Amino acid sequence: MKRVISISLGSSKRDHQVELEVLGENFLIERRGTDGDMAKAVDMIKELDGKVAAFGLGGTDLYLYAGNKRYIIREAAKIARAAKKTPIVDGSGLKNTLERKVITYLQQQLGMVFENTKVLMVCGVDRFGMAEALSKYGAKLTCGDLIFAIGLPVPIRSLKNLQRVARIIAPIACQLPFKYLYPTGNKQESFKPRHSKYYLEADVIAGDFHFIKRYMPERLDGKVIITNTVTNNDVSLLKDRGVKQLITTTPELKGRSFGTNVMEALLVALAKKNPEEMTPAEYESLLDQMEFKPRVQML
């Protein structure tokens, strides 16, 4: 049995594992959190390097994208360098393929209408592919990169402006400790409502679940959430707050929608390739063969 493991800077309370047969191969898929401890993440990767088929890097991004420009987050790159033999991915390759396909699937197969729908992307550079797909189908985007990652109450209303802001901010932000940009460790279990009006004015709230969860207001009545990495407790939380529908871009596997880093690691292990050798077409081909569908759940 092949083993795929996600080492996450997130809370260890969210750890999970499943056994799964995919395209005729058996996998043990695990997620292990380090509660924000970077040194522990490095040690775990060193211990398992060469012993597992692929690593996912969770609770942080290795790369941020805006258009065709890629920015490398310094601290995440330091963690990734601990893997010398086993390939390591952060999910960004899959975000650029799977999450575009999911928006197209929702529009074309399930009849969801994004034309003139107000969508809050809590962080557009984290999921630029999804943001582009939503924009393509006519959604009225508000990207909260400055609001939620930087703390500046300035909404970004177009992809063009998102790319302009990213060119200025990203090279600096990528050098900062990641804890200042993203909720890690036990911050993933606490709430800090921020600029709720952007949540309340949106019909759809999309993007990284930990951003959505940490800054969301008390009530989200009638909202649609498009995200992933949700546990059963998260689903109950969203239901209690009035969310109408939950869509996860990765499928539910025994009560859990894993992060894109886990799914990307699974695809790399299936392909038996290094991540830099994988093309978007290869990711799409594998996804088609696996017939993965997003999870769509009325709450």
Side-chain angles (χ1 to χ4, degrees), residues 164-228:
R164 287 175 179 156
V165 170
R167 280 197 293 270
I168 297 168
I169 301 293
I172 301 167
C174 286
Q175 301 305 311
L176 296 174
F178 196 67
K179 64 183 180 181
Y180 294 130
L181 304 174
Y182 182 79
T184 60
N186 58 16
K187 287 183 180 178
Q188 294 182 353
E189 304 300 327
S190 61
F191 304 98
K192 191 177 181 181
R194 176 184 289 179
H195 302 293
S196 298
K197 67 176 184 178
Y198 298 110
Y199 281 82
L200 298 177
E201 73 179 17
D203 304 304
V204 175
I205 298 158
D208 181 273
F209 183 69
H210 293 300
F211 265 130
I212 293 173
K213 178 181 173 182
R214 181 158 175 79
Y215 301 118
M216 67 184 181
E218 282 295 318
R219 300 301 307 170
L220 288 170
D221 294 290
K223 307 298 182 185
V224 175
I225 305 285
I226 305 177
T227 187
N228 62 35

Side-chain angles (χ1 to χ4, degrees), residues 34-208:
T34 66
D35 301 310
D37 189 332
M38 289 183 58
K40 186 176 179 180
V42 168
D43 289 344
M44 289 172 69
I45 291 171
K46 286 181 176 177
E47 177 192 343
L48 294 167
D49 192 26
K51 301 175 183 174
V52 298
F55 286 116
L57 181 58
T60 178
D61 284 316
L62 183 53
Y63 305 111
L64 298 177
Y65 287 87
N68 58 5
K69 187 72 176 175
R70 187 176 77 172
Y71 304 92
I72 301 175
I73 296 176
R74 181 176 59 87
E75 281 194 340
K78 183 179 177 182
I79 298 173
R81 283 196 294 271
K84 303 295 185 187
K85 300 173 183 175
T86 298
I88 186 167
V89 295
D90 71 335
S92 56
L94 200 54
K95 288 175 187 172
N96 238 346
T97 51
L98 171 69
E99 297 199 328
R100 290 178 192 273
K101 288 168 68 73
V102 166
I103 299 302
T104 297
Y105 176 85
L106 296 173
Q107 170 95 11
Q108 296 183 354
Q109 302 297 318
L110 300 189
M112 286 188 69
V113 176
F114 292 110
E115 181 80 31
N116 292 323
T117 298
K118 295 176 182 177
V119 179
L120 171 63
M121 290 283 307
V122 284
C123 184
V125 294
D126 173 53
R127 279 174 158 80
F128 196 78
M130 181 189 288
E132 274 198 321
L134 287 164
S135 180
K136 171 185 169 184
Y137 289 115
K140 291 184 175 179
L141 278 182
T142 296
C143 294
D145 300 57
L146 293 175
I147 301 169
F148 303 111
I150 306 295
L152 297 174
V154 180
I156 302 169
R157 305 285 191 183
S158 72
L159 292 180
K160 186 176 288 185
N161 283 341
L162 178 62
Q163 291 181 66
R164 287 175 179 156
V165 170
R167 280 197 293 270
I168 297 168
I169 301 293
I172 301 167
C174 286
Q175 301 305 311
L176 296 174
F178 196 67
K179 64 183 180 181
Y180 294 130
L181 304 174
Y182 182 79
T184 60
N186 58 16
K187 287 183 180 178
Q188 294 182 353
E189 304 300 327
S190 61
F191 304 98
K192 191 177 181 181
R194 176 184 289 179
H195 302 293
S196 298
K197 67 176 184 178
Y198 298 110
Y199 281 82
L200 298 177
E201 73 179 17
D203 304 304
V204 175
I205 298 158
D208 181 273

